[in-house]
Amino acid sequence: MPTPSMEDYIEQIYILIEEKGYARVSDIAEALSVHPSSVTKMVQKLDKDEYLVYEKYRGLVLTPKGKKIGKRLVFRHDLLEQFMQIIGVKQENIYNDVEGIEHHLSWDAIDRIGDLIQFFEEDSNRVEVLRQIQKNTEE
């Protein structure tokens, strides 16, 4: 299993490849606000652990294992953002809140949050009831 730091890199590399078709060390460093030397060290570790293939000066490619995990990490992030929106978290707080909790939840908890999102999406009145509860507790 990748560490939380490794997950951040895999997720960002996956996103960059999906958006641009490639991920360079400089792009990863900019996206994660870290030094390129830190990216190089992590990319070498991810290569050693078979999440990607890295060739110095040529770039990197996610392995099937890396793609699978990257896709799952992006799904987890998007699901948690959706959950935060449904429960009424202010938009300006959502990204940082998700970043703060995503590595600390089990996949079982993620699956249950997915169930809860489905529950709310199946009947929009449920979201309205939640908003009313929130309104009542704020008064």
Side-chain angles (χ1 to χ4, degrees):
M1 283 301 287
T3 65
S5 180
M6 291 167 77
E7 286 184 347
D8 285 339
Y9 278 85
I10 294 168
E11 180 180 8
Q12 193 57 58
I13 292 166
Y14 180 87
I15 290 168
L16 285 167
I17 291 172
E18 287 293 304
E19 290 176 354
K20 298 170 84 172
Y22 60 90
R24 298 180 309 206
V25 167
S26 59
D27 298 325
I28 300 164
E30 182 180 339
L32 294 174
S33 301
V34 296
H35 292 287
S37 59
S38 298
V39 174
T40 300
K41 285 178 190 170
M42 180 59 81
V43 164
Q44 290 168 341
K45 178 163 181 38
L46 293 170
D47 182 28
K48 181 178 157 282
D49 291 348
E50 300 180 349
Y51 293 105
L52 56 81
V53 175
Y54 174 64
E55 294 181 28
K56 196 172 184 180
Y57 307 116
R58 294 187 54 99
L60 55 94
V61 181
L62 288 171
T63 62
K65 173 182 169 182
K67 282 181 190 173
K68 180 179 178 182
I69 290 176
K71 186 175 185 175
R72 193 164 188 203
L73 295 171
V74 169
F75 169 79
R76 176 182 71 186
H77 188 99
D78 292 345
L79 188 77
L80 290 171
E81 281 192 0
Q82 190 178 3
F83 175 68
M84 295 289 179
Q85 289 169 344
I86 287 172
I87 64 171
V89 174
K90 292 180 181 144
Q91 193 63 41
E92 64 265 20
N93 296 331
I94 290 177
Y95 181 81
N96 286 335
D97 286 348
V98 170
E99 286 296 311
I101 67 169
E102 66 184 339
H103 300 295
H104 302 285
L105 296 173
S106 68
W107 284 102
D108 181 43
I110 297 296
D111 289 342
R112 299 301 66 82
I113 289 170
D115 295 342
L116 191 57
I117 289 169
Q118 181 179 348
F119 173 78
F120 279 108
E121 287 179 338
E122 286 175 353
D123 183 349
S124 61
N125 289 327
R126 293 171 180 159
V127 175
E128 290 307 314
V129 170
L130 177 60
R131 295 288 175 265
Q132 190 58 49
I133 291 168
Q134 291 167 337
K135 184 178 176 186
N136 292 342
T137 59
E138 289 174 0
E139 294 175 353

